[in-house]
Amino acid sequence: MTVDPPGGGAPRSRRERPAKPALTREGIVAVAVRLVRAEGLAKVTMRRLAAELDTGPASLYVYVRNTAELHAAVLDELLGTVAPPPASGTFAERLEAVLTSYTAMLMEHPGLARSALAARPSGENYLDLVERLLGLLIEGGASPGQAAWGVDVLLQHATATAAEQSARDADADAAGDWDALVAALRGASPGRRPHLAALAGPLLSGAPRQRLSWGFQALITGILRTPAPDDHDDIGRTP
């Protein structure tokens, strides 16, 4: 079958159109990352991705088993934007800088922050991030066991903080809920709840960035002071 080209001229066969690029896992993930940055993770479905790639959804499953694996791959790709540790500063300061960059990346992509709570990335960027964190903890005096288990706790805190913030940003009633909490804490009865009444101010104090930093510092200090097995015979799985 032939078609007439715009402006006249000799008919051109449809077979002469440029061939579509071959599907690859890297290409699929790249398009998914572009959609996440432009429209958010919720828009990254297999059907939408297939339309962007001019193919059928079934073709994608050859390269990505399911949406969860796709989201994990997108997360791993974006982990490549996490800043490396600064060249100067104490190990704790440099460790906090990496964790803060990781948290900020998740906060830029709210849907991804919530997905990251359950995602299990295993790509190169994730492995590089864990390698950096392990190295900094060991530099700070952590034993192998403390470093290994400590990384999990630090990433959980960062991920949960980003997910919580993204959920609040998406909640139209968040401001009202906060006002209600402030009123409840400040109105606590000294007779019934003396600690709440005395500490309402501190409970509500501090900017989000300050609280994030304090949380990292508290965890880092606790990791170094809490004994943990130095050797693991089995790879543990979180239930």
Side-chain angles (χ1 to χ4, degrees):
M1 182 176 180
T2 59
V3 295
D4 294 330
R12 180 167 57 88
S13 170
R14 292 190 187 276
R15 296 178 181 176
E16 296 176 10
R17 291 183 302 178
K20 292 187 297 184
L23 283 177
T24 63
R25 180 183 173 87
E26 292 76 14
I28 292 169
V29 173
V31 173
V33 169
R34 175 169 59 78
L35 288 175
V36 167
R37 285 176 167 153
E39 303 177 26
L41 189 69
K43 299 293 185 180
V44 184
T45 64
M46 288 298 195
R47 185 175 298 277
R48 175 65 189 285
L49 198 54
E52 289 287 324
L53 292 163
D54 191 21
T55 188
S59 301
L60 303 183
Y61 290 103
V62 176
Y63 305 92
V64 183
R65 288 179 299 172
N66 49 43
T67 303
E69 183 178 312
L70 176 65
H71 288 179
V74 169
L75 173 60
D76 186 75
E77 188 70 18
L78 290 172
L79 285 175
T81 66
V82 174
S88 60
T90 66
F91 93 92
E93 290 170 342
R94 288 181 288 131
L95 178 56
E96 182 182 332
V98 176
L99 292 164
T100 301
S101 178
Y102 167 76
T103 310
M105 181 277 290
L106 289 180
M107 286 183 175
E108 290 178 7
H109 309 286
L112 190 63
R114 293 188 290 272
S115 177
L117 287 171
R120 293 182 181 274
S122 57
E124 293 297 317
N125 290 324
Y126 175 75
L127 297 179
D128 287 343
L129 173 63
V130 173
E131 174 70 17
R132 290 189 198 119
L133 298 178
L134 288 171
L136 287 165
L137 283 170
I138 290 171
E139 178 186 329
S143 70
Q146 288 171 325
W149 287 12
V151 163
D152 185 48
V153 174
L154 290 168
L155 288 177
Q156 281 184 356
H157 176 62
T159 304
T161 298
E164 180 184 43
Q165 186 60 52
S166 68
R168 287 175 178 170
D169 290 343
D171 183 2
D173 297 326
D177 292 343
W178 173 252
D179 291 340
L181 174 61
V182 171
L185 291 176
R186 294 197 183 282
S189 167
R192 183 178 178 183
R193 300 185 178 95
H195 297 301
L196 276 180
L199 297 174
L203 281 169
L204 298 168
S205 67
R209 178 66 182 81
Q210 290 176 303
R211 284 180 168 266
L212 180 67
S213 175
W214 186 89
F216 286 141
Q217 292 174 30
L219 287 173
I220 292 168
T221 300
I223 289 166
L224 295 178
R225 294 184 178 180
T226 306
D230 286 346
D231 297 301
H232 303 282
D233 296 328
D234 299 312
I235 298 176
R237 291 183 178 274
T238 303

